[in-house]
Amino acid sequence: MARNGGVARLGSGAVGDFTQDGNLEMVWRHRTAGTNVVWFLEGNEIADFTTLTPVEAGWNMVGAADFTQDGRLDILWRHGTAGANVIWEMEGLELRDGYVLPAASPEWTPVV
């Protein structure tokens, strides 16, 4: 992925210290391809990047928080038209487990 190109096609994501190294990581989602990319930041510079498991179109990455209370950031996903909700339990940037939450009407928007 070009570090300065193609950003317009990227959608919602999450920012946090997933790797617990004192630096932020920024997670980007490609709106139509379903690709998920992580930028490793050092200050305001992109030091490196990697990809996460792709997720089919229609799912939106809402944000990151420690939903499982294990001291690590997890990712909340929401399907925009179906109202389905899933939490990815993360171990750093590795998907450890997934949890299906009850669906909610698409008129509702989670805030993380």
Side-chain angles (χ1 to χ4, degrees):
M1 174 180 153
R3 292 182 181 182
N4 59 359
V7 174
R9 292 182 300 265
L10 298 174
S12 60
V15 176
D17 187 5
F18 286 89
T19 58
Q20 298 180 327
D21 64 355
N23 293 309
L24 293 177
E25 287 81 40
M26 183 179 295
V27 185
W28 294 86
R29 172 145 175 80
H30 193 284
R31 296 175 192 192
T32 55
T35 305
N36 302 296
V37 175
V38 179
W39 286 356
F40 297 93
L41 302 176
E42 290 181 5
N44 62 355
E45 299 289 323
I46 301 167
D48 202 358
F49 68 94
T50 190
T51 58
L52 296 178
T53 304
V55 176
E56 65 187 55
W59 286 91
N60 299 305
M61 189 181 305
V62 176
D66 184 9
F67 295 107
T68 58
Q69 299 180 347
D70 64 356
R72 300 173 189 265
L73 290 176
D74 307 303
I75 299 174
L76 174 62
W77 292 90
R78 178 158 169 79
H79 195 280
T81 56
N85 302 289
V86 172
I87 291 176
W88 275 8
E89 182 180 0
M90 303 297 290
E91 188 168 329
L93 291 169
E94 298 293 322
L95 175 60
R96 183 172 172 184
D97 207 346
Y99 304 96
V100 177
L101 300 176
S105 170
E107 288 82 28
W108 287 93
T109 302
V111 178
V112 177

